[in-house]
Amino acid sequence: LPAYSTASGKVHLAFLPEKLLDRLYPDEALEEYTPRTHRSKQALRDDLHRVAKRGYAVDDEELEEQVRCVAVPVRDYTRTVIGALSVSGPSFRMDRQRIEEEIAPQLLGFAAELSTALGDLPASIA
C-alpha cells in the first residue's frame, strides 16, 4: 500500500528526514486512490507536519472510501520510530470528534507503554 495514503505509513513518513521523503517521492504529483488522496507532495508534507506535531496520523478515506484509520508511532530506545499501532473502521463510526477525544488518546497511551518497554524514554526526560 502507498505509505502516503495510510495512517501507519504517514506515521513513518512524518519522522523521516525531508531529503529521504524527496527520494521516496521524486515527482510532485502523487497517485490518487480516492478523491481525498493527497495529490501533491506539498499537501503530503503539510499533513506530515501535522502528524509530527499532534503525534498521530489519520487516513481520512484517502486509500479507500468510507474507511478511516488512525495510527501512532512506536519508538525504540533510540527514539526511532520502528512501528505503528493503528485502528481502522468505517468512517461513520470514526468521526473526527471520536478520533480526537477517544481513539487517538487511547492509541497514544498504548504506544507509550509499548515504546517504554522497548527502552524509549518520555520526551520530558529524553
Side-chain angles (χ1 to χ4, degrees):
L1 300 175
Y4 65 87
S5 294
T6 68
S8 295
K10 289 194 279 185
V11 160
H12 287 280
L13 294 175
F15 298 99
L16 290 178
E18 285 278 329
K19 288 182 181 184
L20 185 52
L21 187 65
D22 289 336
R23 285 183 39 212
L24 290 170
Y25 303 105
D27 299 326
E28 179 59 30
L30 301 172
E31 186 175 349
E32 182 179 342
Y33 295 92
T34 74
R36 300 185 76 127
T37 305
H38 294 305
R39 293 182 187 96
S40 73
K41 195 163 41 174
Q42 186 57 52
L44 174 61
R45 274 193 186 101
D46 293 344
D47 191 15
L48 296 178
H49 288 293
R50 285 189 297 274
V51 170
K53 183 176 180 176
R54 72 179 173 220
Y56 66 90
V58 177
D59 163 2
D60 189 12
E61 301 183 53
E62 297 163 45
L63 183 63
E64 190 173 339
E65 292 185 41
Q66 300 180 18
V67 176
R68 284 199 180 103
C69 183
V70 181
V72 297
V74 175
R75 298 174 187 273
D76 69 5
Y77 67 96
T78 67
R79 302 217 26 89
T80 301
V81 175
I82 60 164
L85 294 178
S86 68
V87 174
S88 299
S91 54
F92 71 89
R93 290 188 183 182
M94 294 181 68
D95 62 35
R96 293 177 201 278
Q97 182 176 355
R98 186 168 184 210
I99 288 170
E100 291 175 14
E101 295 176 3
E102 182 183 344
I103 298 169
Q106 286 182 359
L107 275 177
L108 287 165
F110 295 141
E113 288 180 33
L114 181 55
S115 295
T116 298
L118 294 170
D120 184 32
L121 296 174
S124 60
I125 297 172

